[in-house]
Amino acid sequence: MRVLLVASVSVLSLLAPVPASAAGCAWTSTALPLPEGTSFSQITGAAIDGSHVVGTGVATPWRDVVLLWHNGSVESQPLAPGEFAADVNSSGTVLINSSQGRARRAGVDLNPLPGAGYAFAVALNNSGTTVGNSGRTVAIWPGGLG
């Protein structure tokens, strides 16, 4: 019994969160406003410099919207059924995926690789280069296309 108790305490101490200050960084939380009539939101990406944050929300009447926060304000744009925001870069370029297997960056479709039936984008950098997958292959879509 003593061995089990000691092992349990040891494992629990490994799982205990380390305060941010102990890890050498300091976190600051900021409340993000929601547009009038938005009842739910989920953050899905942020620019590396923290200048833009993107997410998906549900607005009244019942419809999905992409939410883009920048400088303390938020913009809301309707999404087509099955679409959701994936990421954003420091210039505010938004990456969108859909349940139909399509991805777009700044309104420009990211085409599936030849022979693949879908494109799914995961992240983009400040030059617009986007990574994700197409079929069963890792894909990189070069920047400068939107």
Side-chain angles (χ1 to χ4, degrees):
M1 183 67 141
R2 233 182 244 170
V3 172
L4 179 60
L5 178 61
V6 169
S8 297
V9 170
S10 297
V11 168
L12 289 175
S13 67
L14 291 174
L15 298 176
V18 176
S21 59
C25 63
W27 294 95
T28 303
S29 108
T30 303
L32 297 174
L34 287 177
E36 184 75 29
T38 303
S39 59
F40 169 82
S41 68
Q42 178 180 12
I43 302 299
T44 55
I48 194 164
D49 64 1
S51 62
H52 293 79
V53 176
V54 72
T56 302
V58 177
T60 305
W62 193 260
R63 72 180 196 286
D64 290 335
V65 293
V66 62
L67 301 168
L68 180 62
W69 289 272
H70 178 63
N71 289 333
S73 63
V74 62
E75 293 178 33
S76 173
Q77 296 292 323
L79 289 167
E83 287 187 332
F84 53 95
D87 200 13
V88 65
N89 67 15
S90 297
S91 65
T93 301
V94 175
L95 193 57
I96 303 285
N97 283 307
S98 79
S99 59
Q100 290 79 33
R102 296 293 174 247
R104 61 188 163 94
R105 171 185 59 213
V108 176
D109 288 340
L110 300 173
N111 295 321
L113 297 175
Y118 71 91
F120 185 84
V122 176
L124 78 158
N125 65 17
N126 284 336
S127 70
T129 299
T130 303
V131 296
N133 56 44
S134 183
R136 296 178 0 188
T137 305
V138 172
I140 299 173
W141 291 273
L145 301 176

